[in-house]
Structures are given as C-alpha cells and as structure tokens.
Amino acid sequence: MTQPLLPCDGHPYLRAASAGIRHHTRAASASPADRVHLDALHAHLTTLHQFLDRLGEAARPPHPASGRHLATAHTRLWQAAAAVHDAFHLLPVADETSAQTECHPERLPEGPPVLTICQRHLAAGHVIRRKTTPSDLNTPLHGHTTPCSQ
C-alpha cells in the first residue's frame, strides 16, 4: 500500500537535485573550478533548460503572463549554460591532449569523450535558437516585474 504524497513531497527529484547542488557548492568552496565540475554543472543547467522549456510550453496557453516569465527564465538559463561552456574551454587541460579537447562542432560524433559538453551545448542551442531571437539572447537581465510579498 502506498501513501499519498504530501504537497511538500510533490517534486522529490527536484528537491534531491537542489540538495546535491547545495552539497557541491559547500564542498567546492575550498577547491578551484575544474573541467569535471563545469561539465557536471553544464549538464545540470541544460537539463533545467529542457525542463523550463516544457513548463513554459504548458503554462503559456492558460496563463500567458506566466509563460512569458518562464520563457525569459529559459533564455537566462541558456545564457548561464553558454557562460559555463565558455569557461570550460578556458580552463587548462590536465594532460597533454589539449589539441583534442578544443570545441570543433563539425567532428563532434567522432570526437573525444570530453566533447560531450559541446554536444550537449549544441543540442540545447538548437532549441533556444528555434524559440528565441538573437537580440533576446544578448539582452541583459531585466527588472523583476511581479509583486512579491516578503
């Protein structure tokens, strides 16, 4: 017999992912960023990007204002993922294979495993470019427009 989920238990996987991020934030504060951490963070950001895309699509017809805010969050999350991808390629490589780890989209399927961040980034880029204009992608974050109670 299964017990019904409480309202606070409605999204256990999201809470677990958030807890994992908090744990790694505390653990990583003593060590410098490395490519492994940035790759994992990029994977998390692109997964959130897909999730926000689906939420925005579901929210837009019944609640257009909410859908617009989710679309803005979708764009900003893409900007964060793009910055993490760029930072990944600016970090030094641990071994002597630096020539193999540069981003070459034309040879991604045959590339070394480290290029999975580039494959992931290109896949997310196709989604964002279908739904967003280049000027929106380059627009800085605008002010918060909804009333919040504190």
Side-chain angles (χ1 to χ4, degrees):
M1 179 193 286
T2 61
Q3 296 178 354
L5 289 175
L6 299 172
C8 63
D9 290 337
H11 304 284
Y13 296 116
L14 285 175
R15 281 198 325 279
S18 297
I21 293 289
R22 283 191 303 273
H23 168 76
H24 285 285
T25 299
R26 286 189 301 270
S29 63
S31 63
D34 62 4
R35 285 177 159 229
V36 173
H37 284 104
L38 291 184
D39 185 33
L41 180 59
H42 188 269
H44 189 76
L45 288 171
T46 54
T47 302
L48 283 173
H49 184 258
Q50 292 171 350
F51 184 52
L52 266 177
D53 184 40
R54 290 184 184 153
L55 284 176
E57 290 297 318
R60 191 167 290 123
H63 307 287
S66 180
R68 283 191 300 274
H69 280 283
L70 289 172
T72 299
H74 182 252
T75 301
R76 300 306 172 235
L77 198 55
W78 164 254
Q79 290 171 334
V84 169
H85 176 257
D86 293 345
F88 175 88
H89 285 292
L90 292 174
L91 285 176
V93 180
D95 57 16
E96 298 299 321
T97 60
S98 62
Q100 295 177 358
T101 61
E102 292 180 7
C103 190
H104 295 285
E106 70 277 3
R107 60 179 189 188
L108 285 177
E110 303 83 29
V114 73
L115 289 182
T116 57
I117 189 172
C118 298
Q119 292 170 326
R120 191 182 323 116
H121 194 69
L122 285 172
H126 289 297
V127 172
I128 193 75
R129 285 183 177 88
R130 268 187 305 146
K131 299 180 178 197
T132 311
T133 66
S135 63
D136 285 340
L137 290 175
N138 295 320
T139 302
L141 187 60
H142 65 280
H144 189 67
T145 60
T146 58
C148 293
S149 60
Q150 297 202 14

